[in-house]
Amino acid sequence: MSEDTQEWPDLDLGEEDITNSSDACFRNVNPKFFVNGVLSSAAFMPTQNDDGELSTARSSKVNPRQHYEEFTRRGLASSGVYSVTTDDIQEADLRWIDNDSLQEDSLRMTGHAYIDYRIYSSKGARKKRARLLAHKATRVYSPDSTE
């Protein structure tokens, strides 16, 4: 089976493709995304509700602790914040999009950006990329840390 070969969708007005950035990409990880203590690809796999846009945050706009606290204040479960680089995202043939300025106030997460999976319609193609990111991810904040 061949990989998807669609064109990337156009960005909305106010969105920015994050390239050549030293920003780290932060992702809160649900405790159920670990298998035998190892981070699984599910941590970086968009769900149907994500429409191919996996929520993250930019390190230049929010620190890991703040990102964790904003996330869990909404009643969402997180075992901590993990980070990948812009290069990691690009090496997985994905793109990283800043849409912080487009967030509704009621849903606002500081420094919001998303990893764009929309070009890949098959679950296999998405999972392959999610696995690459999970493998590269490092924990940058744990709720039990003294940070």
Side-chain angles (χ1 to χ4, degrees):
M1 186 158 118
S2 67
E3 294 231 328
D4 308 61
T5 55
Q6 303 172 7
E7 294 286 322
W8 285 111
D10 291 335
L11 298 179
D12 290 337
L13 187 62
E15 289 185 327
E16 172 195 348
D17 192 348
I18 305 167
T19 56
N20 302 320
S21 173
S22 61
D23 272 354
C25 172
F26 294 151
R27 172 93 176 134
N28 272 285
V29 174
N30 189 296
K32 69 181 180 183
F33 293 155
F34 291 87
V35 177
N36 298 323
V38 177
L39 187 65
S40 75
S41 62
F44 287 90
M45 182 77 167
T47 67
Q48 279 187 317
N49 293 338
D50 293 326
D51 292 324
E53 299 175 359
L54 186 75
S55 289
T56 65
R58 294 182 74 166
S59 65
S60 63
K61 297 183 178 184
V62 66
N63 68 50
R65 181 182 186 148
Q66 179 186 0
H67 186 52
Y68 171 84
E69 289 173 351
E70 286 183 7
F71 187 82
T72 56
R73 262 197 305 268
R74 294 171 185 254
L76 301 168
S78 175
S79 64
V81 176
Y82 283 72
S83 175
V84 293
T85 68
T86 306
D87 287 344
D88 294 336
I89 295 166
Q90 291 172 346
E91 287 168 11
D93 294 323
L94 296 165
R95 62 182 185 171
W96 191 28
I97 308 299
D98 183 318
N99 67 343
D100 189 44
S101 66
L102 304 178
Q103 298 299 296
E104 296 176 30
D105 286 340
S106 64
L107 301 173
R108 185 157 187 73
M109 295 288 284
T110 305
H112 193 273
Y114 64 89
I115 298 175
D116 192 355
Y117 282 80
R118 293 176 295 170
I119 195 172
Y120 303 105
S121 57
S122 78
K123 185 175 180 180
R126 288 179 176 199
K127 188 168 186 168
K128 174 183 175 182
R129 284 152 180 83
R131 189 177 300 119
L132 290 170
L133 293 179
H135 179 70
K136 298 250 181 154
T138 57
R139 179 179 261 179
V140 292
Y141 179 77
S142 172
D144 5 314
S145 68
T146 58
E147 189 178 305

